[in-house]
Amino acid sequence: MSNRTSSGLVAGYYLAKKGIKTAIYERKLSAGGGMWGGGMMFNKIVVQTEAKYILDEFEVGSIEYQKDYYVANSVETVSALCYRCVRAGTRIFSLLSVEDVMIRENDRVTGLVINWSAVSLANLHVDPLAIRAKLVIDATGHAAEVCHIVTRKLGNKLATKTGDVIGEKSMWAEVGEKELVAKTPEVYPGLLATGMAVNAVFGLSRMGPIFGGMLLSGKNVADLSAYLLKNTSG
Amino acid sequence: MSNRTSSGLVAGYYLAKKGIKTAIYERKLSAGGGMWGGGMMFNKIVVQTEAKYILDEFEVGSIEYQKDYYVANSVETVSALCYRCVRAGTRIFSLLSVEDVMIRENDRVTGLVINWSAVSLANLHVDPLAIRAKLVIDATGHAAEVCHIVTRKLGNKLATKTGDVIGEKSMWAEVGEKELVAKTPEVYPGLLATGMAVNAVFGLSRMGPIFGGMLLSGKNVADLSAYLLKNTSG
Amino acid sequence: MSNRTSSGLVAGYYLAKKGIKTAIYERKLSAGGGMWGGGMMFNKIVVQTEAKYILDEFEVGSIEYQKDYYVANSVETVSALCYRCVRAGTRIFSLLSVEDVMIRENDRVTGLVINWSAVSLANLHVDPLAIRAKLVIDATGHAAEVCHIVTRKLGNKLATKTGDVIGEKSMWAEVGEKELVAKTPEVYPGLLATGMAVNAVFGLSRMGPIFGGMLLSGKNVADLSAYLLKNTSG
Amino acid sequence: MSNRTSSGLVAGYYLAKKGIKTAIYERKLSAGGGMWGGGMMFNKIVVQTEAKYILDEFEVGSIEYQKDYYVANSVETVSALCYRCVRAGTRIFSLLSVEDVMIRENDRVTGLVINWSAVSLANLHVDPLAIRAKLVIDATGHAAEVCHIVTRKLGNKLATKTGDVIGEKSMWAEVGEKELVAKTPEVYPGLLATGMAVNAVFGLSRMGPIFGGMLLSGKNVADLSAYLLKNTSG
Amino acid sequence: MSNRTSSGLVAGYYLAKKGIKTAIYERKLSAGGGMWGGGMMFNKIVVQTEAKYILDEFEVGSIEYQKDYYVANSVETVSALCYRCVRAGTRIFSLLSVEDVMIRENDRVTGLVINWSAVSLANLHVDPLAIRAKLVIDATGHAAEVCHIVTRKLGNKLATKTGDVIGEKSMWAEVGEKELVAKTPEVYPGLLATGMAVNAVFGLSRMGPIFGGMLLSGKNVADLSAYLLKNTSG
Amino acid sequence: MSNRTSSGLVAGYYLAKKGIKTAIYERKLSAGGGMWGGGMMFNKIVVQTEAKYILDEFEVGSIEYQKDYYVANSVETVSALCYRCVRAGTRIFSLLSVEDVMIRENDRVTGLVINWSAVSLANLHVDPLAIRAKLVIDATGHAAEVCHIVTRKLGNKLATKTGDVIGEKSMWAEVGEKELVAKTPEVYPGLLATGMAVNAVFGLSRMGPIFGGMLLSGKNVADLSAYLLKNTSG
Amino acid sequence: MSNRTSSGLVAGYYLAKKGIKTAIYERKLSAGGGMWGGGMMFNKIVVQTEAKYILDEFEVGSIEYQKDYYVANSVETVSALCYRCVRAGTRIFSLLSVEDVMIRENDRVTGLVINWSAVSLANLHVDPLAIRAKLVIDATGHAAEVCHIVTRKLGNKLATKTGDVIGEKSMWAEVGEKELVAKTPEVYPGLLATGMAVNAVFGLSRMGPIFGGMLLSGKNVADLSAYLLKNTSG
Amino acid sequence: MSNRTSSGLVAGYYLAKKGIKTAIYERKLSAGGGMWGGGMMFNKIVVQTEAKYILDEFEVGSIEYQKDYYVANSVETVSALCYRCVRAGTRIFSLLSVEDVMIRENDRVTGLVINWSAVSLANLHVDPLAIRAKLVIDATGHAAEVCHIVTRKLGNKLATKTGDVIGEKSMWAEVGEKELVAKTPEVYPGLLATGMAVNAVFGLSRMGPIFGGMLLSGKNVADLSAYLLKNTSG
């Protein structure tokens, strides 16, 4: 899984809980992306009632500040997501970037081509290595990096209207969140997406600074992955 | 209102005078954009007779140097625009950038998604916040940043010939100024433009270093905004 | 006068009121320095009772939020300082940097060597020009740029304990403000300082985000300049 | 407390456990510094027997790979330190930099002058704000940033042989770790240090990639702080 | 005329000789572009027999090193071109960039919109000024900057097959030189080109390091300009 | 030959062995490209049985670590390729970049337009020189720089499905290697390709970190070149 | 001679006139330094009566605008200096930097260690070459680069009060010019200086934008060099 | 051994020949430093008679172009040094930087603290690892990086006149080469130097572009190391 967002950490947690061996490749030094800074550097995040059970499962404190909206400390939330994800058994490898995907029979994604992030940051030319995987999840947020690699290398063949990454629309938080949870995030044979990457790939509305949809999306993609792994390899 | 130009300050002043609650989000530390430097760093600006009454209302001194053309000190002009705009009741928030617009029913612009300018300048990843507004005015000069966001996110649906931001034509000052004042600056439901942004959006001729059209455009968009707010919310 | 701070604008205003011909060379495009951003980008500044009369004279609104402390809008304050300074008759030339001072008989500072700021920002090599002045005021904040030029070019001959720019001490706002107002800001024959430059030159305590001392320092240096000009040239 | 290292998080945890109200100002977006990357980007850290109880208290898994040396996952460790630190009640404010210290009677450090990290990263000029504190802990690693501020502003008055920050010596891990734990980390009235900052300030030997001393140092500074707060304010 | 190449200097010389008032706006500090460095930093240039008379007229020494090819010192050549161009009466303004063209009736180019080069190099926002001209010559080399401005602002209306700047083809020196001299360099009403800009605009073959075509092209555009000025204004 | 990869060095070696006078222009200071760093900075490369004879011919040690796969030290391999290539008689000119190709009758590539790499790295403007060649080989890896120059200057006329550089597909090492060896690497009259440049030009699958195909491709292009040179010039 | 200023070109001219073989190594692409831009980018320079004969000898036009002060076009002046310098027989090598001096018996400077300027601009590591010379002249302006190399490599042994480069004092044009002309510019065995480098080395007053002293200094150093060469080698 | 120069490769070769297990940590991607570019990017190096036997041993061709001076191809030389060094049994690890030394009893250097070069190039904070070594050789050229670390960390205790790195003097090739070969390159207990690092540490004269001393120095340090290892560990 290629990760930069909180939905990736949630997915990693639930996948491990289901006994699925998962590795997260994190481009940055630390995991969790922008969630550390909350909204505009004010260290708070907001979660709706529907997703509060995930905060509870990760043992993150929250306060109901108006009906159906809970506020949590952003640093506590992101460190809890990361801690419990690793603790559950998923491995996070930091400072690793995805350069390409591996493709085999039927053009199915069967792994990732990775390299040290420091190599490209330092503008060096060093060859990457390849890692096999039964399923790949794109958790790179609105950049949707893995999905973009697929369209650039293999043509516009994603499971979207145009076959390409459509790009998220302007912000309409309630609609964006609902669309996100409703969407089946399988974007290509062997490749799923989660979190804002789903909004970007399918052209859904941008979500606001309310994080519930993100957390639920991580849970959903873990459930779908487990289903697919049982049925495709069975 | 997203601002970087003098027409935005003029608009802010007249909106406040009409009792309309207005907030200006200014990407830079200081307001007023390039007007501080006059033409080519020589601290003078020129205004025609038609717009001189605005200089007078802002208590900016000017001298008639040839028939129908008045010259003013650029530093005095821009600080007066800023001072009287705030003084009239409009709030200017500096170092805030517009990342996106909010959209709701009927794809109408209903607010802005803002973030600290320092966040992107420092290449950080921090989530933005959203602000509701009954009307949004794009006063970002020839960059027309808010209008560009709309076309990128929602497709070419602006009230122009192509639906897109057409881009200002080469300089023909007299024609550009006249076209600017004549144009109704409503570019999208909920979104107006003012100043050079109007020239850019509708593909009008570039204006010269004569600032009268800019000032009048700020006055015009304030009048139109007041009319729209009374009629749409009434 | 070489300027980057609000105390320079206050000094420019009072000098003009006294009928003294004053020019301010501002390194940046806009005047007023960091005051636009208030404290930590929250657009507020605080002024004590002693300095409130200056806010009143510049027609800047303020509210007493606790005994002896008034809060004002930072954008309104800085644009008012700039506007009224120019309006009073002082000329502000923006985008001009001070490269050196002119020295004549008795090593007295008799002018400034200036150049376009854009020249050094663009890393070009273009020769500067020289401007004569009866008195020079260093209003460049804690950088104390003009004073540093003097020590670098002429040796440690400033009117300080070491002869050098001592550097401001850590923050102790109340003490720093009192020391600033008490200090006679003549640092070298022909060269005065104002605002944080005084703290830096004489090694006074750093002032907090309370701006009263800055404003009073601008008033003081104007008074002292008028006195010196009358007595040295008389 | 100014933080960039794991010892700061450990200190924050134990301070909160003792009921002391603590705030951590973290310059980066995420907490934990270089610990995320383990040794040379291989995601492992090593801890000695003496410090293993801290891993256990933070519920971090570890394996004894040779006598007296335990290996742990670096991502699990750092997220656990951060999570449990916040969970215990200490507040972490990310993206905040320390620009200066506050000084009052007897030149005692009585607080910090802070600003958004994004402000200096973006090369903006915005004034900072000041925060009072009974005790300040420098947890900025071998940079020892707060201690350097004190010597730059107040002269060489630290509790070291030279009065200055001496700088850590070359690596001799066993000696460095022992010296660190043995050293009383009070460096100036009102200012303590922890972790590698202690090595840097007192010129101790550099520690290897073995993290036990770091963790113990965090525990020690918390104990000493509690003792000082009880005795100085009592 | 907007200049960065030796053909512009040749044109400036012959225009002045014909008594036509000419101004050259040079983006860099010094005129002459890459000719200072000769070929690959070896300070030599080569000129064919056909163009040798221009070297002679500018009093530049040259040696015949093989039949029909003369070699000259690149520094002598470029300084002679510049010196004799100014000496003949043409004014060169250095550090001035062309931002746009002026357009009036019939979309004819009637002048240039210029600004200090330092302004854009320093990333400042300062308004430009406009200069009227009866004819404009694009002498900006293979960048063909003025021609690109026209197509960007006014659409693909140049006197080329596509209406756009076609871009020079790969190197075939003999063919490129012949095509250049044969081509009538009028690219738009009011706008001519000279030197490599002609190759770029019309898609001619790239010329080698042999400079004869460049010099002849400067002479040609001067002749054509004189003809046009006599006939259009007459 | 324009070079940045190991296949270029192999080609240079075999060309010299056949008595063909060959020059390699290397953009960097040192030859061999990314092979120095092995896979992800771990100094090993892997070669299949089919290509092992090339390692043997260059006197590079290797160990069979699993059936049909041999591992070699990357630093030994790349320095051996470079050493034996020069030793065989091919000249390597380092720090030279290819800016353009020379074209003559029938649009056939007849040479290269080269310049010092330092010139463009230093952002200088200095004219290039031209070098004639009977055949040009693009050995610039997946950048396929020379082929890109041809399509940009001469239109989409390469010997590929689209006439353009298609771009390599995602990684499928076995398929990519086989396709590479099978492909006749003549891409344009007078222009061949070798190594990853072949994959990029013809849109073959990306090869993994297994280098056998690269080495064999260098051998192949040398054989084909020898054949062409004998038959076209004969 | 290491050059970046107009005095170097004047010296080169007079040296060639005396039949002395001279080479100028110019760090930049073009010669003449900041003189192209005149004062503050206004293309004019001023020369006093004493130096007007040099303008006349170089055939540069000038106008007396007030008693004893002549104004000339800066572009004409600098291109004339360069043209006549090369024309007289001195060779100018552009884009060459001086990295070090050669020293032999008696620590006398006996040559220069030079490298392509592009090499350091491009941050490459390439070894320099060495050039023998009977005399070296530092004409690098106020940077006094060659003199600085000597003090850094050989200790403070220059013919100045401190043995070091003292640095020019603040501007006092009349005094600076007189001191410059009066000073014998031999700074070290085998090393002379000219122009602003003399002011910098001996700590003379800075000259204003009046260029007479610069031109005379170039003439002086040529005379002194001729004298020394006749007497030391004779 | 920390390496960036050809003398390091020579030392590595002879150490391996003596059966001493040696590792070279190379900061760059490729080994050999500036030797790839020859003198001023002209791909030649010069070697004197005394050192020619080393060229012969490495099987590098050379031609006597004047008495006692042989010229060789720089690319052939550097790749031969690298190839035969690895081939002899020494391991070269590229992209590894030395951050510090390890010190133990008697302040003897007992190893190196290393990190990926990409980590600091990418401005990341990742902890280093430590490597034990019986002897360390500083082969970092005139930067003398390891020796500088020792003086910065342990004080001025090198075996030089000042105890510090003195810095190489200006160029006097013959003297520099002789001094280099004569000097015993033991600079600190456990730390030797080779090549230009010796010149830098002991303040010897700079060597010219003649490489014989460099090669001999590598041979010498290998001999000395073998002697020391036999006698200190025996």
Side-chain angles (χ1 to χ4, degrees), chain H residues 60-71:
Chain H
V60 174
S62 59
I63 298 165
E64 190 176 32
Y65 80 104
Q66 72 174 56
K67 193 170 150 26
D68 281 343
Y69 289 98
Y70 294 79
V71 71

Side-chain angles (χ1 to χ4, degrees), chain B residues 8-187:
Chain B
L9 295 172
V10 173
Y13 170 83
Y14 284 111
L15 285 165
K17 285 286 180 197
K18 290 168 200 290
I20 297 166
K21 223 172 130 187
T22 310
I24 293 178
Y25 301 106
E26 167 60 55
R27 182 186 292 276
K28 303 279 177 135
L29 183 56
S30 62
M35 196 188 247
W36 289 91
M40 275 183 69
M41 312 199 294
F42 303 114
N43 291 352
K44 293 277 168 287
I45 62 159
V46 173
V47 168
Q48 315 95 299
T49 299
E50 294 90 318
K52 184 174 175 292
Y53 78 92
I54 296 180
L55 287 187
D56 294 344
E57 175 149 0
F58 280 83
E59 291 180 44
V60 174
S62 60
I63 296 166
E64 190 176 34
Y65 81 103
Q66 73 174 55
K67 191 166 153 29
D68 281 344
Y69 289 97
Y70 293 80
V71 70
N73 180 286
S74 63
V75 175
E76 180 184 346
T77 310
V78 70
S79 58
L81 296 184
C82 185
Y83 171 58
R84 301 224 178 270
C85 172
V86 180
R87 200 69 184 152
T90 283
R91 299 290 294 272
I92 299 178
F93 298 94
S94 59
L95 290 173
L96 281 170
S97 300
V98 173
E99 287 194 359
D100 201 351
V101 294
M102 286 175 73
I103 294 287
R104 293 188 74 85
E105 286 76 10
N106 308 320
D107 274 357
R108 183 181 167 86
V109 171
T110 56
L112 294 170
V113 180
I114 61 173
N115 211 337
W116 296 112
S117 300
V119 162
S120 62
L121 284 171
N123 220 3
L124 295 167
H125 179 44
V126 173
D127 287 308
L129 292 177
I131 303 287
R132 295 230 171 182
K134 289 187 182 157
L135 270 185
V136 168
I137 300 174
D138 184 339
T140 61
H142 67 84
E145 295 174 7
V146 183
C147 298
H148 271 297
I149 288 170
V150 168
T151 58
R152 200 173 63 240
K153 289 301 189 76
L154 303 174
N156 291 347
K157 296 181 179 169
L158 299 186
T160 66
K161 272 180 218 157
T162 62
D164 198 358
V165 174
I166 294 175
E168 64 178 7
K169 287 201 285 186
S170 282
M171 185 181 285
W172 190 350
E174 296 81 347
V175 169
E177 296 244 339
K178 267 178 214 147
E179 290 172 339
L180 168 57
V181 175
K183 196 81 203 176
T184 303
E186 190 170 19
V187 296

Side-chain angles (χ1 to χ4, degrees), chain C residues 8 36 41 58 77 111 133 146 181 187 196 221 233:
Chain C
W36 290 92
M41 310 200 295
F58 280 83
T77 309
V146 183
V181 175
V187 295
M196 286 184 293
V221 86
S233 61

Side-chain angles (χ1 to χ4, degrees), chain A residues 29-31 36-37 41 43-44 58-59 61 75-76 79-80 82-84 86-87 91-95 116, chain D residues 29-31 36-37 41 43-44 58-59 61 75-76 79-80 82-84 86-87 91-95 116:
Chain A
L29 183 56
S30 62
W36 289 91
M41 312 199 295
N43 291 352
K44 293 276 169 286
F58 280 83
E59 291 179 42
V75 176
E76 181 184 347
S79 57
C82 184
Y83 171 59
R84 300 223 179 271
V86 180
R87 198 70 184 153
R91 299 289 295 271
I92 299 178
F93 298 95
S94 59
L95 289 173
W116 296 112
Chain D
L29 182 56
S30 62
W36 289 91
M41 313 199 293
N43 292 352
K44 292 276 168 286
F58 280 83
E59 291 180 42
V75 175
E76 180 184 348
S79 57
C82 184
Y83 170 59
R84 301 226 178 268
V86 181
R87 198 71 184 152
R91 300 289 295 271
I92 299 178
F93 298 94
S94 59
L95 290 173
W116 296 111

Side-chain angles (χ1 to χ4, degrees), chain C residues 14-37:
Chain C
Y14 283 110
L15 285 165
K17 285 287 180 197
K18 289 166 201 292
I20 297 166
K21 222 172 129 189
T22 310
I24 293 179
Y25 302 106
E26 167 61 54
R27 184 186 291 278
K28 302 280 178 135
L29 183 56
S30 62
M35 197 189 246
W36 290 92

